Structures are given as structure tokens and as C-alpha cells.
């Protein structure tokens, strides 16, 4: 990069400015905040970096660059800078996720170098709930025990494949994905209703900060859909999360997933934003 570039790789000395920026939108930035709380800001052995856009000595925008690339508070000037930096570095991420306007413009600028995408999800409503669910919670939904990892894992793989379009174990035989699911179970952030060795409903809390947490991986066994397991299961997860994890619960959903959106609305989630995803 040219020395005149407004973009630079951030480090621990930038921690205060980085978190001040992230705290301006604690729900929208829950994923990035959670990752930086866990790993720190300086580049680690996995190659994850945080890029900063600096204007007149002030940090105005961020771009988390890991397996996911996520722009934060990025206006047109920051997007130009991040796109220039991204083209120079080359694509290392498996997805770009963030506010629709920022991601669509970033993608437009890097497409000649990074394209084509495998899937583009142009509209994914961001939902939030911060009070009791509007439906009764399923009393059989509970934290998954470590001894149940091999029961949960096939359901996680099925959900991921159904949602993303490719299995999560196609690269390394599933070692990294299994380790991630195992971590969620070990930290008490995987929830399920399990009957006779089969997962009926499941969901995980993938990102946690003092301000919010993000639900992911919501799934009902295909043979048992349409019976109310999703709404009652989500109500149980919301109750656990609000009582024990964070004061606000968030997630995002594909705009075309009508049944899921109806479920979340029934539980009491409301839309607070919209993101776009580009998947490779």
C-alpha cells in the first residue's frame, strides 16, 4: 500500500478507539466485538487483521478481515480505502458480511479482482429482542452436554449445509468445524431438544459481548417441522440468553425465509437493521 493510504492495520495500541467505534452500534457490531474480545486486535497466527480508516488522525471506520470480512461504520471514503487494501492483499475470506450499502459498494469495487461469488444474499434483516418472549418456552430445550457432542454435530452440519449450500467439512475433513461446535458446547452456548438420540431443535449463541449476543444455527429436524418446535425452542433460547448471557439477543435471517421470519416475529423479535452477505 502507498504511504498516503488512509487505511492501516490496527494493533493493541488502538484498542480504546476501536471499541469506542464498535460501541456506537452494540447490536450491529456484536460479531466483531466478540471476536476482538476473544483474540485481541493485533494480527494473530491465523492471519486475522483489523484495518482502520483514519481521517485527520481520527479512526472513522474499521474492517475486520478474517474468515469473514466485515466493514464497520464505513462510508464511501472508507469503503474505497478498504477495497484498495483488499485488492492489494488478495481474497482470504470465505464471506463478506455487513450493512447492505457498505457491502454492496465494497463488492462492486473488488468484484473484478475477487469475483465471482458463489452466493449473494442481498437482504438479511437483523432482528433483536430484549424482553420476555411472547410464546411459551419449550421446557425440553436445554444446554447440550459435552457427552452429546456426537449427537449435536450431525445436526450442525446439516444446518450449515442447508443454509450455506456447501458442507462445513469439505476442506479439512471437518476438524475446525467440530472444534468450533465443541467450544460452543463447552462454554454453555449450544442449546437443543434431544429425544431418543436425535436433535429435534437446536440453536447456538455464537457471539457474546457485555451488551448483546447473537444466535446462530437455528434448526429443526426436517421430519418434525411445522409442529411449533422452532418458536418454542427459540423462546427457550431467548430466556436462557437474557437471564444468563446478555441483555439483548440478536440474529439475522434471509429475507426469503418466510417461515423463519414468521417464527421470530411470533417470539417477539423486531427488525433493527439489514445486512448483506457475499459467499465464496
Amino acid at each position: 500500500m502507498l504511504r498516503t493510504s488512509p487505511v492501516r492495520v490496527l494493533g493493541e495500541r488502538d484498542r480504546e478507539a476501536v471499541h469506542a467505534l464498535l460501541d456506537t452500534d452494540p447490536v450491529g457490531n456484536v460479531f466483531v466485538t466478540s471476536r476482538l474480545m476473544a483474540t485481541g486486535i493485533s494480527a494473530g497466527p491465523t492471519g486475522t487483521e483489523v484495518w482502520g480508516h483514519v481521517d485527520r488522525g481520527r479512526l472513522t471506520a474499521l474492517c475486520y478481515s478474517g474468515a469473514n470480512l466485515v466493514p464497520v461504520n464505513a462510508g464511501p471514503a472508507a469503503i474505497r480505502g478498504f477495497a484498495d487494501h483488499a485488492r492489494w492483499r488478495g481474497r482470504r475470506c470465505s464471506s463478506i458480511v455487513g450493512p447492505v450499502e457498505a457491502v454492496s459498494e465494497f463488492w462492486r469495487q473488488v468484484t473484478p479482482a475477487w469475483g465471482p461469488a458463489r452466493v449473494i444474499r442481498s437482504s438479511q434483516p437483523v432482528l433483536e429482542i430484549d424482553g420476555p418472549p411472547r410464546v411459551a418456552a419449550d421446557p425440553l430445550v436445554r444446554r447440550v452436554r459435552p457427552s452429546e457432542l456426537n449427537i449435536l454435530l450431525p445436526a450442525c452440519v446439516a444446518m450449515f449445509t442447508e443454509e450455506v449450500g456447501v458442507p462445513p467439512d469439505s476442506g479439512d475433513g471437518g476438524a475446525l468445524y467440530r472444534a468450533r461446535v465443541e467450544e460452543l458446547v463447552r462454554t454453555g452456548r449450544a442449546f437443543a431438544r434431544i429425544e431418543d438420540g436425535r436433535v429435534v431443535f437446536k440453536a447456538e449463541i455464537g457471539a457474546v459481548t457485555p451488551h448483546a449476543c447473537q444466535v446462530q444455527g437455528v434448526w429443526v429436524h426436517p421430519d418434525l417441522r411445522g409442529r411449533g418446535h422452532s418458536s418454542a425452542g427459540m423462546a427457550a433460547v431467548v430466556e436462557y440468553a437474557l437471564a444468563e448471557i446478555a441483555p439483548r439477543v440478536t440474529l439475522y435471517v434471509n429475507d426469503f425465509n418466510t417461515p423463519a421470519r414468521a417464527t421470530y416475529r411470533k417470539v417477539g423479535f423486531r427488525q433493527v437493521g439489514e445486512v448483506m452477505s457475499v459467499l465464496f
Side-chain angles (χ1 to χ4, degrees):
M1 294 294 292
L2 298 176
R3 291 186 180 181
T4 55
S5 170
V7 172
R8 65 176 174 86
V9 177
L10 303 179
E12 289 302 320
R13 64 190 176 94
D14 302 297
R15 169 174 290 274
E16 185 175 344
V18 166
H19 283 282
L21 199 57
L22 291 169
D23 286 348
T24 61
D25 183 4
V27 170
N29 298 331
V30 62
F31 169 78
V32 174
T33 303
S34 176
R35 296 308 301 155
L36 297 185
M37 287 175 57
T39 64
I41 296 170
S42 296
T46 61
T48 298
E49 295 179 337
V50 182
W51 308 338
H53 181 267
V54 180
D55 182 16
R56 299 174 187 173
R58 185 173 67 91
L59 184 66
T60 63
L62 310 172
C63 189
Y64 177 87
S65 175
N68 305 297
L69 188 143
V70 186
V72 173
N73 200 52
I79 289 297
R80 282 195 302 273
F82 292 148
D84 287 345
H85 194 74
R87 287 192 298 268
W88 174 72
R89 291 297 303 271
R91 183 176 71 81
R92 303 181 181 188
C93 62
S94 58
S95 68
I96 308 166
V97 183
V100 173
E101 187 174 344
V103 170
S104 60
E105 181 57 23
F106 178 90
W107 176 235
R108 186 188 70 79
Q109 294 188 34
V110 302
T111 297
W114 281 21
R118 183 174 55 80
V119 177
I120 295 178
R121 305 275 169 80
S122 58
S123 174
Q124 297 173 298
V126 177
L127 311 179
E128 177 190 348
I129 186 170
D130 58 6
R134 294 176 183 168
V135 299
D138 184 345
L140 298 181
V141 170
R142 55 172 174 77
R143 282 188 165 93
V144 177
R145 306 181 186 105
S147 62
E148 297 170 316
L149 176 63
N150 288 334
I151 296 174
L152 178 66
L153 190 61
C156 292
V157 171
M159 178 285 307
F160 188 100
T161 305
E162 184 177 337
E163 169 66 19
V164 178
V166 295
D169 51 4
S170 57
D172 63 354
L176 284 175
Y177 188 73
R178 180 186 178 91
R180 175 58 175 159
V181 175
E182 189 173 14
E183 177 193 10
L184 292 171
V185 172
R186 186 179 66 253
T187 56
R189 287 156 52 187
F191 299 86
R193 174 172 174 167
I194 298 174
E195 295 180 348
D196 301 322
R198 179 175 72 168
V199 173
V200 173
F201 164 90
K202 75 156 198 79
E204 297 85 49
I205 296 177
V208 175
T209 76
H211 306 295
C213 63
Q214 186 178 67
V215 177
Q216 65 180 38
V218 181
W219 184 85
V220 174
H221 193 286
D223 295 344
L224 302 174
R225 292 174 184 174
R227 304 185 187 183
H229 289 301
S230 57
S231 56
M234 278 302 301
V237 173
V238 167
E239 286 188 350
Y240 273 111
L242 292 178
E244 304 177 21
I245 298 176
R248 301 160 81 176
V249 183
T250 184
L251 55 81
Y252 60 89
V253 59
N254 292 317
D255 64 336
F256 55 79
N257 193 341
T258 303
R261 295 185 67 179
T263 290
Y264 300 139
R265 198 161 42 242
K266 181 178 179 181
V267 172
F269 282 86
R270 62 188 181 278
Q271 183 170 349
V272 294
E274 185 181 24
V275 298
M276 172 180 174
S277 297
V278 180
L279 310 179
F280 300 101

